[in-house]
Amino acid sequence: MTKSTAYKVLITTSGTGSRLGEITQYTNKSLVKVGKKPAISYIIEQYPKNTEFIITVGYFGNQVRDFLKLVYPDRIFRFVDVDKYEGPGTSLGYSMLQAEPLLCCPFIYHACDTIVSGKIPAPKKNWIGGFRGEGSSHYASFDVVDGKVQQMHDKGMLDRDFLHIGLVGIWEYESFWKSLKELYKENPDNSGLNDVEAISKMIGQGNEFGVVSFEKWYDIGNVESLHKARTEIEDSFRILDKADESIFIFDKFVVKFFADEKTVAQRVERGRLLKGLAPEIEGATKNFYRYKYANGKLYSKVATPVDFDRFLHWTKKNLWKPNKEVSDKEFKKVCYDFYHTKTVERIEKLLKSRSIKDVEIIINGERVPTVKKMLGMIDFDWLCTAEQSGFHGDFILDNLLKNKSGYVLLDWRQNFGGLLKSGDMYYDLSKLNHNLTVNHEIVNSDLFKIEIEKDEVTCDIHRKENLVQCQKVLFEFLQKNGYDTKKVKILTALIWLNMSPLHHHPFDLFLFYFGKLNLWRALNEK
């Protein structure tokens, strides 16, 4: 067994991350994505592999435990449960004190929302990590003379040398714990008790602290600084953010997070059902699953009309194979709930969230009736009569890889209306059609338009020429194979309407009106 380093690293993840608002509604702030990974991964990976980490856990503590064990099975972690992590009597200092029995040695305190570049020295002497930059109104700071910290300041100090970044090396650990305990006993209800107060007390008693200056520092503890970090730390995949799910990309594997435990269990099961078409599942916990990193190029980047035809035939042969899971009557009901009931619920959600009404309106010069009226025009018996088959469920180009041996399915849907083994091939075809018009790259670049003036709406979106030609190939494929093109067009419009309340503003309104317009056009097409 490898001997651990002569020091330990304390990471406090017990707090609620309230400054991040809804971003931490479903997860711990140390697991918030920055670039390709969660914040805590950048911290863990900066230290030697034999480092022993002491992790305080509280808010969504099981997620922190599960993630670290799943991603870093060879690392040394010891977890400390913090009983009080929100409300009266809670503080960073209180959380730190819960870990004191495991830190009777030199240690580094590394805040879970602090990401730095550069080497982090061992705590062979007391030191404080500092950053020369703006932001003293939001952060504590300190002054340095002859390489020694002279004084710590609370937030708001204008004339200071360094910002305090939540990264500290403690050599004189006995003095640190003594100071922190005394401060806690003086005022147990002090919610501002932290490492700064303990260090100030130590300096006042003659303990010396040096400074370690970091050229780059990212604080992901509030919305503004998190946005800055995400802008500067690369993520070439540019995946749309969702509060209750995330994807983390590592060198040899990928980790998916879902707040809903049932979703994870079903994703894992479906991953096994898609064996040979999707990457191998390597492990799973309640909120995470891990699968092998699949080499290849994102199909949305490399799809061409010639190859797209090959891809459609590959999918028909390998994915859309007949697979009857329930009776035809039951399956028709599943489709009805999926296409009609869910659509009504989603539209009501959008209308309520944006305080708008579903009225007859002119969109791109065409007078379009209410969605309610158009839903009444759809023959749902026809729309929901479908053959059961294998399915992906979120069949878009951004969820596909192309490599030398063929294609790889990524980010499959956990079920189709509750079914794991069978779905409606027409839904996959419609998701594909949707993505040939609306895709992540275009949306992330804000290359769409939505203008609303009284009873008139204008909506438009940029499209890549290659994808326009691929869409032509798709409809040629539908016709040659005897598939119903009108069904695909109606389902595509319903997909846009369903997506509308799930996305950011103003993209949500674009999807609603764009879906409404295209549903009207599909219904009137001969």
Side-chain angles (χ1 to χ4, degrees):
M1 186 175 181
T2 304
K3 186 178 180 181
S4 64
T5 55
Y7 64 92
K8 299 178 183 180
V9 175
L10 168 65
I11 305 175
T12 50
T13 72
S14 33
T16 60
S18 57
R19 291 184 300 154
L20 287 169
E22 64 178 15
I23 295 173
T24 51
Q25 181 180 354
Y26 300 101
T27 193
N28 185 275
K29 72 175 177 178
S30 69
L31 299 174
V32 169
K33 186 179 178 183
V34 185
K36 297 178 182 179
K37 304 174 185 178
I40 199 168
S41 284
Y42 294 96
I43 298 172
I44 299 299
E45 292 171 11
Q46 269 199 299
Y47 292 95
K49 288 191 175 181
N50 58 341
T51 301
E52 182 175 342
F53 293 92
I54 309 301
I55 316 286
T56 68
V57 291
Y59 184 71
F60 286 115
N62 285 336
Q63 288 185 13
V64 177
R65 277 192 178 92
D66 289 348
F67 174 82
L68 293 176
K69 290 178 180 178
L70 183 66
V71 174
Y72 304 105
D74 298 328
R75 293 274 191 165
I76 308 167
F77 298 110
R78 299 186 71 179
F79 298 96
V80 177
D81 288 298
V82 176
D83 57 342
K84 294 187 295 183
Y85 52 83
E86 59 181 332
T90 62
S91 65
L92 171 60
Y94 178 81
S95 290
M96 296 178 82
L97 284 171
Q98 308 313 298
E100 186 253 348
L102 299 177
L103 290 167
C104 297
C105 64
F107 69 93
I108 292 174
Y109 161 60
H110 198 137
C112 74
D113 52 14
T114 286
I115 299 173
V116 296
S117 62
K119 186 177 180 180
I120 300 174
K124 294 180 179 179
K125 61 179 181 179
N126 298 326
W127 56 260
I128 302 176
F131 177 74
R132 291 185 183 273
E134 302 299 320
S136 59
S137 60
H138 300 290
Y139 305 103
S141 58
F142 57 90
D143 297 326
V144 177
V145 177
D146 293 331
K148 295 179 183 179
V149 178
Q150 296 298 302
Q151 186 177 4
M152 303 294 295
H153 304 293
D154 289 331
K155 298 174 183 178
M157 175 60 65
L158 291 176
D159 298 320
R160 77 288 180 280
D161 293 327
F162 290 92
L163 297 179
H164 174 56
I165 63 175
L167 182 54
V168 180
I170 301 294
W171 168 252
E172 296 172 289
Y173 60 91
E174 291 178 337
S175 178
F176 177 83
W177 292 123
K178 182 173 181 292
S179 298
L180 192 58
K181 284 179 181 177
E182 289 174 353
L183 289 166
Y184 179 75
K185 286 180 181 179
E186 288 173 11
N187 184 6
D189 295 325
N190 177 15
S191 61
L193 180 61
N194 55 25
D195 59 310
V196 174
E197 292 195 13
I199 291 170
S200 292
K201 189 176 179 71
M202 289 175 68
I203 291 173
Q205 294 173 343
N207 298 92
E208 294 185 353
F209 278 80
V211 61
V212 177
S213 179
F214 290 92
E215 290 187 10
K216 285 193 176 182
W217 162 55
Y218 301 101
D219 169 30
I220 63 97
N222 63 72
V223 175
E224 292 78 13
S225 55
L226 172 62
H227 177 71
K228 179 185 176 183
R230 285 176 166 176
T231 300
E232 296 187 18
I233 297 177
E234 181 185 4
D235 178 13
S236 57
F237 291 91
R238 301 186 65 173
I239 297 164
L240 296 178
D241 288 320
K242 293 182 181 179
D244 59 348
E245 67 178 88
S246 195
I247 182 168
F248 308 124
I249 313 292
F250 294 85
D251 290 339
K252 295 182 179 180
F253 56 86
V254 174
V255 174
K256 283 284 293 184
F257 160 75
F258 288 92
D260 180 48
E261 296 175 8
K262 185 178 179 181
T263 297
V264 172
Q266 291 186 342
R267 285 274 182 127
V268 171
E269 177 61 25
R270 291 220 59 239
R272 290 171 179 146
L273 292 171
L274 293 169
K275 185 177 180 180
L277 304 179
E280 179 185 346
I281 302 286
E282 295 184 322
T285 62
K286 289 183 177 180
N287 296 99
F288 303 91
Y289 66 92
R290 165 178 164 170
Y291 59 82
K292 281 187 178 180
Y293 186 92
N295 289 310
K297 295 182 178 179
L298 204 61
Y299 201 45
S300 58
K301 304 282 188 182
V302 298
T304 65
V306 173
D307 186 73
F308 195 66
D309 186 62
R310 286 195 291 265
F311 163 70
L312 290 170
H313 284 88
W314 175 88
T315 309
K316 180 184 177 184
K317 177 183 177 182
N318 294 283
L319 177 63
W320 296 325
K321 296 185 290 188
N323 191 9
K324 194 165 185 176
E325 186 175 353
V326 295
S327 69
D328 292 341
K329 184 178 180 180
E330 288 176 280
F331 190 64
K332 182 177 283 191
K333 184 180 184 305
V334 167
C335 289
Y336 182 82
D337 289 339
F338 202 67
Y339 297 148
H340 180 273
T341 308
K342 189 176 76 168
T343 300
V344 172
E345 292 172 353
R346 289 280 180 83
I347 291 169
E348 288 176 352
K349 183 177 180 180
L350 185 280
L351 297 176
K352 183 178 180 181
S353 68
R354 291 299 167 199
S355 300
I356 58 177
K357 294 181 178 180
D358 177 27
V359 296
E360 183 176 297
I361 195 167
I362 296 173
I363 307 175
N364 290 5
E366 297 182 42
R367 184 165 292 279
V368 181
T370 65
V371 176
K372 182 178 181 180
K373 181 176 180 179
M374 288 190 286
L375 290 178
M377 295 169 63
I378 298 173
D379 181 353
F380 277 96
D381 184 67
W382 156 76
L383 191 68
C384 298
T385 299
E387 293 183 10
Q388 300 174 56
S389 70
F391 70 102
H392 180 283
D394 194 9
F395 203 49
I396 60 176
L397 303 186
D398 299 287
N399 288 339
L400 297 160
L401 291 180
K402 177 177 169 55
N403 55 30
K404 292 179 181 179
S405 58
Y407 308 92
V408 182
L409 305 181
L410 304 175
D411 209 15
W412 50 92
R413 189 182 177 91
Q414 59 270 17
N415 63 58
F416 180 82
L419 302 178
L420 299 182
K421 298 178 182 178
S422 62
D424 181 5
M425 177 190 69
Y426 274 95
Y427 186 72
D428 273 1
L429 287 165
S430 303
K431 287 288 287 190
L432 197 58
N433 185 45
H434 134 70
N435 190 235
L436 291 169
T437 300
V438 179
N439 57 72
H440 289 171
E441 184 178 359
I442 297 298
V443 176
N444 278 322
S445 301
D446 292 326
L447 296 176
F448 63 91
K449 174 183 178 182
I450 176 72
E451 294 179 351
I452 305 173
E453 293 185 12
K454 294 183 179 180
D455 62 343
E456 290 194 29
V457 173
T458 301
C459 51
D460 199 1
I461 190 165
H462 287 245
R463 298 182 66 189
K464 286 187 172 182
E465 171 63 12
N466 246 5
L467 299 188
V468 172
Q469 297 305 319
C470 285
Q471 191 171 52
K472 291 180 180 179
V473 172
L474 171 62
F475 281 94
E476 288 172 3
F477 171 82
L478 296 176
Q479 291 171 354
K480 288 177 182 178
N481 287 273
Y483 298 135
D484 194 328
T485 58
K486 185 167 184 174
K487 182 178 284 192
V488 170
K489 290 180 179 181
I490 287 177
L491 285 176
T492 301
L494 293 180
I495 285 169
W496 286 326
L497 290 167
N498 272 268
M499 288 171 60
S500 61
L502 307 180
H503 289 279
H504 65 282
H505 185 73
F507 186 50
D508 55 350
L509 293 181
F510 169 82
L511 287 168
F512 175 71
Y513 288 109
F514 194 65
K516 189 170 177 176
L517 172 63
N518 280 276
L519 179 57
W520 179 239
R521 287 174 174 173
L523 287 170
N524 285 283
E525 187 175 283
K526 293 182 180 179

PDB file of all heavy atoms in Angstrom, residues 117-130:
ATOM      1  N   SER A 117      -4.510  27.505 -10.704  1.00  0.00           N
ATOM      2  CA  SER A 117      -3.526  26.864 -11.557  1.00  0.00           C
ATOM      3  C   SER A 117      -2.166  27.070 -10.906  1.00  0.00           C
ATOM      4  O   SER A 117      -1.960  28.043 -10.179  1.00  0.00           O
ATOM      5  CB  SER A 117      -3.547  27.461 -12.968  1.00  0.00           C
ATOM      6  OG  SER A 117      -3.217  28.838 -12.915  1.00  0.00           O
ATOM      7  N   GLY A 118      -1.238  26.171 -11.164  1.00  0.00           N
ATOM      8  CA  GLY A 118       0.074  26.275 -10.537  1.00  0.00           C
ATOM      9  C   GLY A 118       0.233  25.281  -9.405  1.00  0.00           C
ATOM     10  O   GLY A 118      -0.742  24.701  -8.906  1.00  0.00           O
ATOM     11  N   LYS A 119       1.463  25.078  -9.000  1.00  0.00           N
ATOM     12  CA  LYS A 119       1.774  24.100  -7.963  1.00  0.00           C
ATOM     13  C   LYS A 119       1.335  24.584  -6.588  1.00  0.00           C
ATOM     14  O   LYS A 119       1.516  25.745  -6.230  1.00  0.00           O
ATOM     15  CB  LYS A 119       3.276  23.814  -7.956  1.00  0.00           C
ATOM     16  CG  LYS A 119       3.687  22.698  -7.006  1.00  0.00           C
ATOM     17  CD  LYS A 119       5.183  22.433  -7.106  1.00  0.00           C
ATOM     18  CE  LYS A 119       5.589  21.308  -6.138  1.00  0.00           C
ATOM     19  NZ  LYS A 119       7.061  21.028  -6.204  1.00  0.00           N
ATOM     20  N   ILE A 120       0.766  23.668  -5.815  1.00  0.00           N
ATOM     21  CA  ILE A 120       0.374  23.963  -4.430  1.00  0.00           C
ATOM     22  C   ILE A 120       1.432  23.348  -3.521  1.00  0.00           C
ATOM     23  O   ILE A 120       1.595  22.126  -3.493  1.00  0.00           O
ATOM     24  CB  ILE A 120      -1.017  23.392  -4.104  1.00  0.00           C
ATOM     25  CG1 ILE A 120      -2.058  24.003  -5.035  1.00  0.00           C
ATOM     26  CG2 ILE A 120      -1.369  23.661  -2.648  1.00  0.00           C
ATOM     27  CD1 ILE A 120      -3.446  23.399  -4.884  1.00  0.00           C
ATOM     28  N   PRO A 121       2.186  24.167  -2.779  1.00  0.00           N
ATOM     29  CA  PRO A 121       3.278  23.624  -1.954  1.00  0.00           C
ATOM     30  C   PRO A 121       2.778  22.869  -0.729  1.00  0.00           C
ATOM     31  O   PRO A 121       1.678  23.126  -0.236  1.00  0.00           O
ATOM     32  CB  PRO A 121       4.063  24.872  -1.548  1.00  0.00           C
ATOM     33  CG  PRO A 121       3.049  25.969  -1.540  1.00  0.00           C
ATOM     34  CD  PRO A 121       2.102  25.641  -2.668  1.00  0.00           C
ATOM     35  N   ALA A 122       3.585  21.950  -0.250  1.00  0.00           N
ATOM     36  CA  ALA A 122       3.273  21.246   0.992  1.00  0.00           C
ATOM     37  C   ALA A 122       3.331  22.238   2.151  1.00  0.00           C
ATOM     38  O   ALA A 122       4.051  23.237   2.093  1.00  0.00           O
ATOM     39  CB  ALA A 122       4.272  20.113   1.209  1.00  0.00           C
ATOM     40  N   PRO A 123       2.575  21.986   3.218  1.00  0.00           N
ATOM     41  CA  PRO A 123       2.561  22.912   4.358  1.00  0.00           C
ATOM     42  C   PRO A 123       3.758  22.686   5.294  1.00  0.00           C
ATOM     43  O   PRO A 123       3.599  22.305   6.457  1.00  0.00           O
ATOM     44  CB  PRO A 123       1.235  22.594   5.036  1.00  0.00           C
ATOM     45  CG  PRO A 123       1.017  21.151   4.753  1.00  0.00           C
ATOM     46  CD  PRO A 123       1.579  20.907   3.377  1.00  0.00           C
ATOM     47  N   LYS A 124       4.964  22.932   4.776  1.00  0.00           N
ATOM     48  CA  LYS A 124       6.174  22.797   5.596  1.00  0.00           C
ATOM     49  C   LYS A 124       6.382  24.041   6.460  1.00  0.00           C
ATOM     50  O   LYS A 124       7.303  24.102   7.275  1.00  0.00           O
ATOM     51  CB  LYS A 124       7.381  22.551   4.701  1.00  0.00           C
ATOM     52  CG  LYS A 124       7.305  21.211   3.969  1.00  0.00           C
ATOM     53  CD  LYS A 124       8.520  20.979   3.089  1.00  0.00           C
ATOM     54  CE  LYS A 124       8.412  19.621   2.395  1.00  0.00           C
ATOM     55  NZ  LYS A 124       9.577  19.354   1.498  1.00  0.00           N
ATOM     56  N   LYS A 125       5.559  25.023   6.224  1.00  0.00           N
ATOM     57  CA  LYS A 125       5.460  26.217   7.056  1.00  0.00           C
ATOM     58  C   LYS A 125       4.050  26.757   6.853  1.00  0.00           C
ATOM     59  O   LYS A 125       3.324  26.336   5.936  1.00  0.00           O
ATOM     60  CB  LYS A 125       6.503  27.258   6.655  1.00  0.00           C
ATOM     61  CG  LYS A 125       6.358  27.758   5.223  1.00  0.00           C
ATOM     62  CD  LYS A 125       7.401  28.811   4.911  1.00  0.00           C
ATOM     63  CE  LYS A 125       7.216  29.328   3.472  1.00  0.00           C
ATOM     64  NZ  LYS A 125       8.207  30.384   3.134  1.00  0.00           N
ATOM     65  N   ASN A 126       3.634  27.673   7.682  1.00  0.00           N
ATOM     66  CA  ASN A 126       2.315  28.279   7.502  1.00  0.00           C
ATOM     67  C   ASN A 126       2.331  29.189   6.280  1.00  0.00           C
ATOM     68  O   ASN A 126       3.262  29.982   6.093  1.00  0.00           O
ATOM     69  CB  ASN A 126       1.935  29.122   8.720  1.00  0.00           C
ATOM     70  CG  ASN A 126       1.828  28.317   9.996  1.00  0.00           C
ATOM     71  OD1 ASN A 126       1.421  27.165   9.977  1.00  0.00           O
ATOM     72  ND2 ASN A 126       2.210  28.923  11.123  1.00  0.00           N
ATOM     73  N   TRP A 127       1.311  29.086   5.425  1.00  0.00           N
ATOM     74  CA  TRP A 127       1.199  29.991   4.286  1.00  0.00           C
ATOM     75  C   TRP A 127      -0.271  30.233   3.933  1.00  0.00           C
ATOM     76  O   TRP A 127      -1.143  29.427   4.279  1.00  0.00           O
ATOM     77  CB  TRP A 127       1.974  29.497   3.065  1.00  0.00           C
ATOM     78  CG  TRP A 127       1.640  28.099   2.558  1.00  0.00           C
ATOM     79  CD1 TRP A 127       2.342  26.957   2.807  1.00  0.00           C
ATOM     80  CD2 TRP A 127       0.542  27.724   1.719  1.00  0.00           C
ATOM     81  NE1 TRP A 127       1.764  25.882   2.182  1.00  0.00           N
ATOM     82  CE2 TRP A 127       0.662  26.326   1.495  1.00  0.00           C
ATOM     83  CE3 TRP A 127      -0.515  28.398   1.121  1.00  0.00           C
ATOM     84  CZ2 TRP A 127      -0.253  25.599   0.722  1.00  0.00           C
ATOM     85  CZ3 TRP A 127      -1.430  27.689   0.354  1.00  0.00           C
ATOM     86  CH2 TRP A 127      -1.291  26.307   0.154  1.00  0.00           C
ATOM     87  N   ILE A 128      -0.492  31.339   3.256  1.00  0.00           N
ATOM     88  CA  ILE A 128      -1.834  31.680   2.799  1.00  0.00           C
ATOM     89  C   ILE A 128      -1.788  31.888   1.293  1.00  0.00           C
ATOM     90  O   ILE A 128      -0.912  32.595   0.782  1.00  0.00           O
ATOM     91  CB  ILE A 128      -2.354  32.974   3.460  1.00  0.00           C
ATOM     92  CG1 ILE A 128      -2.350  32.834   4.982  1.00  0.00           C
ATOM     93  CG2 ILE A 128      -3.775  33.292   2.980  1.00  0.00           C
ATOM     94  CD1 ILE A 128      -2.753  34.097   5.707  1.00  0.00           C
ATOM     95  N   GLY A 129      -2.705  31.272   0.577  1.00  0.00           N
ATOM     96  CA  GLY A 129      -2.804  31.478  -0.865  1.00  0.00           C
ATOM     97  C   GLY A 129      -3.418  32.831  -1.164  1.00  0.00           C
ATOM     98  O   GLY A 129      -4.442  33.196  -0.570  1.00  0.00           O
ATOM     99  N   GLY A 130      -2.788  33.582  -2.069  1.00  0.00           N
ATOM    100  CA  GLY A 130      -3.281  34.915  -2.377  1.00  0.00           C
ATOM    101  C   GLY A 130      -3.362  35.183  -3.866  1.00  0.00           C
ATOM    102  O   GLY A 130      -2.716  34.508  -4.671  1.00  0.00           O
TER     103      GLY A 130
END
